Amino acid sequence: RSIITTSDEGGEAERLVEISLEDSAVTPLTEASNWDVDSFDLSDDGRLLAWSINEDGYSRVAVRDLITRRALPQPELPDGVLGALEFSPDGSRLAIGLSTSTSPGDVWSWDVAAGGLTRWTQSEVGPLDRSTFVTPELVRYPSFDDLRIPAFVYRPRGLEGRRPVIIDIHGGPEGQSRPGFSLTYQQWVADHGAIVIVPNVRGSSGYGKTWLAADNGPRRQESVQDIGALLDWIATQPDMDPERVVVHGGSYGGFMVLASLAAYSDRLAGAVNIFGIANFVSFLQNTEAYRRDLRRAEYGDERDPAMRAVFDRISPLNLTDRMTAPLLVIQGANDPRVPQSESEQIVDAVRAEGRPVWYLLATNEGHGFRKKFNADGQAEVTNLFFRQVLAGEPDATAGAQ
């Protein structure tokens, strides 16, 4: 007789609603808040409802008796990100898949009546000592317009002095970095002694509709300014070295890397662009047709003269004379989303300026390296680049093909 779904109608965030199939009446099942409901499950008998809330990137699970609307005991989970939520057939237990910053995805169960939480699995981490993994701190730093930008900060243990910094910028742009398990971040902290900062600049999901739309169209450069504000904040931190900062990101995050390199090259030790947008006009013209209108809704329409003028002003390809720090570009030749031409033209243009560029091209990959041989190669090249630019070694300026 009804459908349960999520909706952001009438509010900033997604909440649970029940829609009647008889008269289309909408009944809210959860209170309006600033945080999205991102997963839910209903018991087989239709009585119990469980849902997960994305609260500042962390998952929180709630359980309710749907008939009486009475809240039931709530599981107190470790800080992490939910991957699955499902009731047992009799509704007595709730299975929860959860990844934390120090453990890959594991399965827990919640006894709905007694309120007990049981961990069922211990995911493998191979020969690594999980006790060495670090847990990020959630911070908020001020941007140019006093908006406070959330970011997760991973700090190495037991190292004194100012540490190098790696900023990783998510793609999307309507994506969100969350504190689940990342072997990459743990490896950067362990092997480079680096502080890893993972910001959710304006335009990220998870913080409401207004935040999500805050970088749309002609406001694109405001998200780049959020990275500039992060560089300002890094300079005020006693454990961070503002002279050894690298930006890293893929897809839209790759555009953010290139745009940051153009805007803040004098404050960066290097940049890693993974299949990023170099020119919005050529990107929109060459991306696969099934994606074009969707991307125009986010970035703007290049056929509109006013928007095209904005693209001409902010596209990294038109700003390569400002890119003075070493650059690593990574691309898959079969990428249907961000075509190889985006990387090729930025590599050619920066090299024409006499600037150092490393270029790694996988001829048998698409939007992201999936084959182990290629993924391992990408990690090795990235780590080599980090070692050279963060240590100030002269080889970083030699370029590589």
Side-chain angles (χ1 to χ4, degrees):
R1 295 189 299 274
S2 64
I3 293 171
I4 295 176
T5 188
T6 57
S7 171
D8 62 7
E9 184 178 10
E12 279 288 314
E14 299 269 350
R15 62 174 173 171
L16 282 175
V17 298
E18 186 173 2
I19 303 174
S20 169
L21 296 179
E22 296 178 356
D23 58 8
S24 300
V26 178
T27 304
L29 298 179
T30 57
E31 298 75 19
S33 79
N34 294 324
W35 308 116
D36 286 333
V37 172
D38 57 8
S39 182
F40 66 94
D41 192 44
L42 187 68
S43 62
D44 287 354
D45 62 6
R47 185 174 188 91
L48 300 179
L49 181 67
W51 65 95
S52 170
I53 300 169
N54 173 2
E55 189 171 297
D56 237 345
Y58 298 97
S59 292
R60 181 169 63 83
V61 173
V63 186
R64 175 182 294 174
D65 187 312
L66 190 58
I67 306 302
T68 65
R69 297 293 197 266
R70 180 173 61 91
L72 300 174
Q74 313 295 305
E76 293 290 335
L77 297 170
D79 288 342
V81 180
L82 185 126
L85 193 67
E86 186 172 352
F87 279 106
S88 61
D90 64 0
S92 65
R93 290 174 299 166
L94 179 68
I96 301 169
L98 189 75
S99 166
T100 73
S101 59
T102 59
S103 177
D106 280 303
V107 179
W108 304 66
S109 70
W110 173 249
D111 188 314
V112 176
L117 186 64
T118 303
R119 182 172 181 169
W120 284 89
T121 66
Q122 292 277 353
S123 290
E124 294 282 348
V125 293
L128 302 177
D129 180 0
R130 69 174 68 233
S131 68
T132 64
F133 295 157
V134 298
T135 300
E137 174 193 5
L138 175 62
V139 303
R140 278 184 164 79
Y141 64 89
S143 194
F144 67 95
D145 55 358
D146 295 328
L147 278 182
R148 300 192 70 82
I149 311 300
F152 294 99
V153 180
Y154 297 75
R155 287 181 167 90
R157 293 196 188 102
L159 295 179
E160 298 180 354
R162 288 196 155 189
R163 309 309 309 162
V165 178
I166 301 172
I167 301 171
D168 186 51
I169 310 170
H170 68 70
E174 297 179 337
Q176 182 186 19
S177 292
R178 303 182 65 182
F181 186 72
S182 171
L183 193 59
T184 297
Y185 297 160
Q186 300 292 347
Q187 184 259 315
W188 290 349
V189 169
D191 289 353
H192 300 289
I195 295 173
V196 178
I197 303 179
V198 190
N200 282 306
V201 297
R202 69 191 70 204
S204 302
S205 59
Y207 304 93
K209 290 190 293 188
T210 299
W211 189 271
L212 188 68
D215 67 341
N216 284 3
R219 301 181 66 183
R220 182 66 43 200
Q221 204 67 9
E222 294 182 22
S223 61
V224 180
Q225 290 177 268
D226 290 340
I227 300 300
L230 178 55
L231 295 174
D232 293 339
W233 181 80
I234 288 170
T236 68
Q237 302 305 300
D239 59 345
M240 301 181 190
D241 187 348
E243 301 297 322
R244 292 187 293 163
V245 180
V246 174
V247 286
H248 175 282
S251 195
Y252 175 76
F255 157 74
M256 289 288 289
V257 164
L258 293 173
S260 298
L261 185 61
Y264 312 113
S265 235
D266 59 333
R267 303 167 68 185
L268 295 173
V272 181
N273 160 40
I274 309 169
F275 41 80
I277 299 167
N279 184 315
F280 280 105
V281 174
S282 62
F283 162 73
L284 289 168
Q285 291 173 345
N286 295 327
T287 191
E288 284 292 328
Y290 74 91
R291 304 184 71 251
R292 193 166 294 129
D293 286 339
L294 173 67
R295 294 297 84 196
R296 283 170 174 158
E298 168 69 33
Y299 297 128
D301 193 329
E302 82 284 4
R303 297 167 299 183
D304 174 13
M307 195 63 233
R308 192 177 185 109
V310 173
F311 287 152
D312 288 342
R313 186 173 68 250
I314 71 171
S315 288
L317 187 63
N318 300 330
L319 305 171
T320 54
D321 60 317
R322 307 177 189 180
M323 299 181 184
T324 59
L327 172 63
L328 166 60
V329 177
I330 298 170
Q331 178 72 46
N334 304 318
D335 191 335
R337 298 187 179 190
V338 182
Q340 180 182 343
S341 55
E342 290 300 300
S343 289
E344 297 282 350
Q345 58 187 344
I346 200 71
V347 168
D348 291 344
V350 176
R351 284 180 174 166
E353 297 284 346
R355 305 300 185 187
V357 184
W358 295 24
Y359 184 34
L360 177 65
L361 176 68
T363 59
N364 57 351
E365 294 283 5
H367 196 68
F369 290 9
R370 297 294 183 265
K371 297 177 176 64
K372 186 177 187 303
F373 175 83
N374 293 329
D376 288 348
Q378 176 181 345
E380 288 294 333
V381 170
T382 301
N383 282 305
L384 177 62
F385 182 81
F386 283 164
R387 280 195 294 271
Q388 293 189 1
V389 299
L390 294 179
E393 296 180 13
D395 287 349
T397 63
Q401 177 74 36

